[in-house]
Amino acid sequence: MGKAARHSQIIAVSHASGLIAALEKQRGYQSICLEKECGATRVVGMRELEKPAWHWTTR
């Protein structure tokens, strides 16, 4: 994945700690950790006023 990411954007979603640890060693890697709080998914460490402009679609 490291070589492919040099020429494109790759988004990997995983609960596998080994995979996450390997990806974090790659240069240029950015990790965004999510958590559930009161039934809502949020970015860990992000305060209310720092929220991104996107919204989850309804199912």
Side-chain angles (χ1 to χ4, degrees):
M1 226 189 289
K3 280 186 176 182
R6 289 186 199 124
H7 303 287
S8 61
Q9 181 180 16
I10 296 176
I11 299 172
V13 179
S14 180
H15 294 274
S17 58
L19 174 61
I20 294 167
L23 290 172
E24 287 175 336
K25 293 178 184 176
Q26 299 294 316
R27 188 177 60 150
Y29 173 82
Q30 180 183 1
S31 179
I32 299 173
C33 200
L34 303 175
E35 69 180 1
K36 283 273 194 178
E37 184 176 290
C38 298
T41 302
R42 67 179 202 88
V43 176
V44 173
M46 184 177 286
R47 294 183 296 234
E48 187 65 28
L49 296 177
E50 299 173 330
K51 290 169 66 171
W54 50 263
H55 302 279
W56 294 107
T57 59
T58 57
R59 293 183 190 182

